[in-house]
């Protein structure tokens, strides 16, 4: 069987490493840019939904968000209807960095898909989306404290 997940993992780690190096000048490290992009794209998102979107546990998300807050990229605001709910928003500093993050993303996407036809890109996207949905089922299952049977 082809080692598809190894290939996906190598691609993800290489792109993450590139991003961490390139975003260091903005004081963004350890994948924090992922959180900032999602917050910029979804103003007012709650931490739990953000963690689910990025596919990390709440503790990991909490640490990353706290660092983004300390570095002035994001802020938490109380929900007017429910004071217990804290919504996340990019600050001016976060919004100013966002276009650079998107340019890097677009460039990486173009490099990764170089030489593929539009049909191939569409096929790849659809196949990866199906793979993600398959994995999400196990992610949800394990996240609830269950063990998978091998």
């Amino acid at each position: 069987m082809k080692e598809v997940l190894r290939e996906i993992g190598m691609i993800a780690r290489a792109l993450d490493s590139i991003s961490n190096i390139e975003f260091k000048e903005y004081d963004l490290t350890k994948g924090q840019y992922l959180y900032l992009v999602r917050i910029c794209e979804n103003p007012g998102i709650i931490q739990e939904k953000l963690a689910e979107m990025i596919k990390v546990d709440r503790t990991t998300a909490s640490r990353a968000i706290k660092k983004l807050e300390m570095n002035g990229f994001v802020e938490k605001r109380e929900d007017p209807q429910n004071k217990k709910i804290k919504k996340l928003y990019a600050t001016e500093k976060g919004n100013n960095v966002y276009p650079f993050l998107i340019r890097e993303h677009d460039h990486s996407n173009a490099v990764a898909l170089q030489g593929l036809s539009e049909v191939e890109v569409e096929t790849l996207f659809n196949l990866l989306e199906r793979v993600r949905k398959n994995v999400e089922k196990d992610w949800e299952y394990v996240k609830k404290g269950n063990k998978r049977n091998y």
Side-chain angles (χ1 to χ4, degrees):
M1 179 185 252
K2 295 272 185 199
E3 292 290 342
V4 174
L5 294 182
R6 260 187 210 178
E7 290 296 319
I8 292 170
M10 285 188 289
I11 293 164
R13 284 188 300 279
L15 290 172
D16 193 49
S17 180
I18 291 167
S19 297
N20 282 330
I21 292 165
E22 290 189 340
F23 299 155
K24 197 176 278 188
E25 67 185 271
Y26 296 102
D27 292 327
L28 287 171
T29 59
K30 299 283 185 209
Q32 292 171 359
Y33 57 90
L34 295 171
Y35 297 85
L36 182 55
V37 166
R38 296 302 186 277
I39 293 167
C40 287
E41 293 172 348
N42 302 278
I45 192 170
I46 61 171
Q47 185 172 309
E48 199 166 331
K49 182 71 178 161
L50 180 60
E52 187 178 303
M53 195 180 272
I54 296 176
K55 304 291 182 248
V56 296
D57 60 62
R58 285 185 289 192
T59 306
T60 302
S62 181
R63 271 195 305 267
I65 292 165
K66 191 167 287 198
K67 286 178 185 173
L68 287 169
E69 267 187 294
M70 287 179 1
N71 289 330
F73 290 104
V74 300
E75 63 184 0
K76 288 181 182 175
R77 296 185 204 156
E78 285 183 355
D79 182 289
Q81 282 76 38
N82 185 344
K83 302 285 185 210
K84 290 181 183 178
I85 296 174
K86 302 281 190 250
K87 295 188 172 191
L88 300 167
Y89 295 90
T91 61
E92 184 179 350
K93 181 179 179 180
N95 282 317
N96 288 340
V97 171
Y98 176 73
F100 177 75
L101 302 179
I102 294 305
R103 277 197 315 273
E104 187 280 335
H105 167 77
D106 291 346
H107 177 78
S108 290
N109 207 42
V111 168
L113 301 175
Q114 196 171 11
L116 299 179
S117 70
E118 284 186 41
V119 171
E120 288 172 321
V121 170
E122 187 67 29
T123 300
L124 179 61
F125 178 83
N126 291 332
L127 292 171
L128 287 172
E129 186 177 48
R130 283 174 46 195
V131 170
R132 177 184 48 82
K133 287 177 181 178
N134 290 340
V135 171
E136 278 177 343
K137 291 174 192 167
D138 270 9
W139 182 71
E140 290 289 340
Y141 183 75
V142 171
K143 194 172 79 162
K144 293 176 183 167
N146 299 305
K147 293 260 187 212
R148 299 182 301 164
N149 292 321
Y150 301 118

